[in-house]
Amino acid sequence: MKLAIASLFIGLASAWSPANDASSSRREAISKTLAAGAALASPLVSNAYSVPDLPYPYEALEPYIDTPTMKIHHDKHHATYVANINKAMEGKEEVPILDLMENALDAGPVRNNGGGHYNHAFFWSEMAPPDVAKKTKPSDALAKMIDSSFGSMDEMKSQFEAAAAPGAVFGSGWVWVVLNNAGTKLEIVGTPNQDNPLMKGVKDEIKFPILGLDVWEHAYYLKYQNRRPEYVSNWWNVVNWDKVSENFAYVSEKKSGVPVEG
Amino acid sequence: MSGKKVIFDTALRASVNLQSSKLPSELTKSSTALFSALSGVKATLPDLPYDYNALEPAISAQIMELHHTKHHQTYITNLNAAMEKMDSAMINGDVSAVIALQGALKFNGGGHINHTLFWENLSPNSDYNEGGTLDKALKERFGSKDGFISELTATSLAIQGSGWGWLVYNPKTKMVDIAACPNQDPVEATTGLKPLLGIDMWEHAFYLDYKNVKPDYVKAIWDVINWDTVEARLEAAK
């Protein structure tokens, strides 16, 4: 901290040195100094990861997901995973959060907090306000794959809801629609805690999520309490199928997980 | 059908020779009635030993009522359903079905056991018996009551996802200890350790009151622990 203050003084003083006689370069010198001072003042933690902004206001998913839940879920729960993964990755090479997923099972903090960060970033991006969501639909390619994998969209939703039922994922976890490793069909899988199917060892093979639902109690308890099935069946109203179709196109082509913001 | 049927009720087994050919004919005729009785008494929701608002402000009446009448009740309902299916599977000698039911039994049976223990180890009256059996055991293992509280707090907060923090009695070491179990895994059945005090760390146990601030919930719950029950369990376990 003292170093930061000292460098600020020196830097600011130099802004008035004869070498900087034009005021614009003085302004530049000052802002550079302040930036350098700030960097020195902040603790040496890798801030590689950050909570991405929601692509819609907190209240946008009402009445299906309530505003207080969106606030706490995004600003507190997701933020905690980000803070913890930053701590865990201090001093390590900065890589996109997606890249940490494959070997996440090697390290507890990465599995829980890296997984938590990825899963939530993925989650926010696939939802939209109900009036927007209802105008979206699966692409032709996705619709075809849904039909060949499940029979129909209704059948897929029904299987998804069964997988999300209390007791099916047991305690806390997520339910996903994934593309299998060979890229030949879609499947529905549940994962516990903050695991996801991109992590080697979680399922029999790495699978690529195109759609996921948080069924941790914090995701729905304020509005639905124990009524998880109601939360799940209401959730379809805020699914952005255009984004899900993009996810499908991406994973089909790249055989990799969808990158996320933050 | 060879007539061989597996009989689970031990009293019945004693009174009726295990050789099925020796089963009295009246019994084989009424075998449906016979076997429907074998699963024993169905699980039922125990009454709380205090009113829903008794543990305020540590735990709100709203949470207590939801937790008891919805969550615990659901475990019981699903446990009874799983037990019924288990009966048919066992009667039919369907080993595959028996195995397939294990997950549901552990989850719902564990949920029932854990919550029953939980209600009993909470109380508006948290008198503590200084110098008693429990106090001595805690001091022996943790140095002090506060040392114990500190450790169980840390263990409970460290649980990822859903689970329970426990004070347990270890019959091998003959000492008390701390354990954490995921989901609704029942501590005795899965570890052999005997449960003395449980803290429910599932989000439903605290979310409406504390949201994401788990540490405040665990700090507050120490105000409503029924130390007498914990001590009685320890004495029974020894």
Side-chain angles (χ1 to χ4, degrees):
Chain A
M1 190 47 126
K2 285 191 186 144
L3 184 59
I5 294 170
S7 71
L8 267 174
F9 272 109
I10 294 167
L12 283 171
S14 77
W16 275 268
S17 78
N20 284 327
D21 39 25
S23 61
S24 59
S25 70
R26 174 149 61 233
R27 202 177 303 138
E28 247 187 282
I30 290 172
S31 63
K32 275 197 192 136
T33 306
L34 287 173
L40 278 171
S42 64
L44 286 170
V45 175
S46 150
N47 286 315
Y49 307 108
S50 58
V51 186
D53 288 334
L54 292 178
Y56 32 73
Y58 294 115
E59 62 272 16
L61 307 185
E62 291 265 10
Y64 305 108
I65 303 183
D66 56 302
T67 310
T69 292
M70 288 304 288
K71 278 209 170 108
I72 298 170
H73 202 175
H74 177 262
D75 296 355
K76 307 282 184 202
H77 290 274
H78 189 174
T80 301
Y81 290 121
V82 169
N84 290 342
I85 187 62
N86 278 333
K87 229 186 299 187
M89 294 301 289
E90 238 181 274
K92 303 215 176 102
E93 189 202 345
E94 277 191 31
V95 295
I97 189 68
L98 172 63
D99 292 4
L100 287 185
M101 292 301 98
E102 188 173 341
N103 297 308
L105 260 48
D106 291 349
V110 177
R111 180 180 188 169
N112 296 321
N113 299 296
H117 176 33
Y118 181 86
N119 295 342
H120 287 85
F122 182 90
F123 187 49
W124 312 131
S125 75
E126 67 186 352
M127 294 190 288
D131 54 340
V132 172
K134 74 158 156 281
K135 297 194 196 109
T136 66
K137 63 181 172 69
S139 61
D140 288 344
L142 176 56
K144 198 155 162 240
M145 186 58 109
I146 287 174
D147 288 349
S148 69
S149 308
F150 302 104
S152 68
M153 171 66 98
D154 280 347
E155 188 47 45
M156 183 187 89
K157 285 185 177 177
S158 173
Q159 279 187 40
F160 190 92
E161 291 183 22
V169 188
F170 293 140
S172 311
W174 290 72
V175 183
W176 310 91
V177 176
V178 295
L179 182 66
N180 68 346
N181 201 273
T184 54
K185 62 181 167 97
L186 294 174
E187 296 168 356
I188 290 169
V189 299
T191 53
N193 299 338
Q194 294 298 347
D195 287 355
N196 66 48
L198 293 172
M199 298 176 178
K200 194 168 24 172
V202 163
K203 294 289 165 194
D204 55 340
E205 54 173 25
I206 290 179
K207 298 176 198 281
F208 310 108
I210 64 168
L211 177 73
L213 176 60
D214 190 347
V215 290
W216 280 61
E217 286 174 328
H218 66 238
Y220 61 89
Y221 209 81
L222 295 180
K223 179 178 168 74
Y224 295 97
Q225 290 89 56
N226 62 307
R227 303 183 316 276
R228 191 197 287 186
E230 201 185 312
Y231 159 65
V232 178
S233 63
N234 275 351
W235 180 67
W236 299 113
N237 292 297
V238 295
V239 170
N240 181 346
W241 289 102
D242 292 345
K243 178 66 165 79
V244 178
S245 303
E246 270 174 48
N247 291 346
F248 174 67
Y250 188 91
V251 306
S252 302
E253 193 199 336
K254 311 273 190 194
K255 289 301 179 58
S256 134
V258 170
V260 295
E261 261 191 72
Chain B
M1 181 81 166
S2 67
K4 270 209 177 81
K5 290 185 182 176
V6 187
I7 297 172
F8 303 110
D9 185 283
T10 47
L12 202 52
R13 197 200 306 254
S15 62
V16 178
N17 194 297
L18 250 181
Q19 301 296 320
S20 59
S21 56
K22 298 209 175 106
L23 270 176
S25 57
E26 310 82 62
L27 266 180
T28 37
K29 275 187 207 132
S30 61
S31 58
T32 328
L34 176 71
F35 289 113
S36 68
L38 288 185
S39 60
V41 180
K42 284 197 185 307
T44 55
L45 187 66
D47 286 332
L48 295 188
Y50 35 74
D51 290 339
Y52 286 128
N53 63 4
L55 305 183
E56 294 197 339
I59 306 177
S60 65
Q62 186 191 20
I63 284 190
M64 289 304 290
E65 190 168 354
L66 272 167
H67 204 173
H68 182 242
T69 63
K70 305 285 181 200
H71 291 275
H72 188 174
Q73 179 61 64
T74 300
Y75 290 121
I76 288 169
T77 304
N78 293 342
L79 171 63
N80 287 333
M83 297 273 263
E84 250 186 73
K85 289 195 187 136
M86 181 60 96
D87 282 348
S88 328
M90 297 245 253
I91 285 164
N92 295 321
D94 187 346
V95 177
S96 178
V98 167
I99 293 170
L101 283 163
Q102 298 308 306
L105 282 174
K106 183 159 92 162
F107 185 65
N108 295 295
H112 177 39
I113 291 170
N114 293 339
H115 287 87
T116 302
L117 291 170
F118 188 53
W119 310 134
E120 289 167 3
N121 67 228
L122 297 173
S123 171
N125 174 2
S126 58
D127 287 347
Y128 181 81
N129 187 8
E130 289 280 352
T133 321
L134 176 63
D135 191 42
K136 289 205 183 97
L138 292 180
K139 287 185 166 122
E140 180 192 23
R141 173 64 182 76
F142 303 104
S144 65
K145 178 192 181 201
D146 283 345
F148 153 64
I149 287 179
S150 206
E151 245 194 81
L152 182 51
T153 296
T155 296
S156 301
L157 290 175
I159 293 171
Q160 295 291 326
S162 305
W164 289 72
W166 296 95
L167 173 68
V168 293
Y169 177 73
N170 187 335
K172 292 200 181 110
T173 63
K174 302 212 189 304
M175 283 179 62
V176 295
D177 207 343
I178 302 236
C181 292
N183 300 323
Q184 291 297 352
D185 288 8
V187 67
E188 184 160 8
T190 58
T191 68
L193 301 166
K194 297 190 182 284
L196 304 182
L197 163 62
I199 299 183
D200 189 351
M201 293 307 297
W202 280 63
E203 285 172 329
H204 65 238
F206 61 84
Y207 208 78
L208 295 180
D209 292 351
Y210 297 96
K211 315 293 189 305
N212 61 305
V213 193
K214 288 195 290 192
D216 285 357
Y217 160 65
V218 181
K219 183 154 185 278
I221 209 170
W222 293 112
D223 293 339
V224 290
I225 298 298
N226 187 338
W227 296 106
D228 288 343
T229 293
V230 180
E231 187 156 53
R233 287 175 183 164
L234 174 59
E235 279 158 2
K238 282 175 137 188

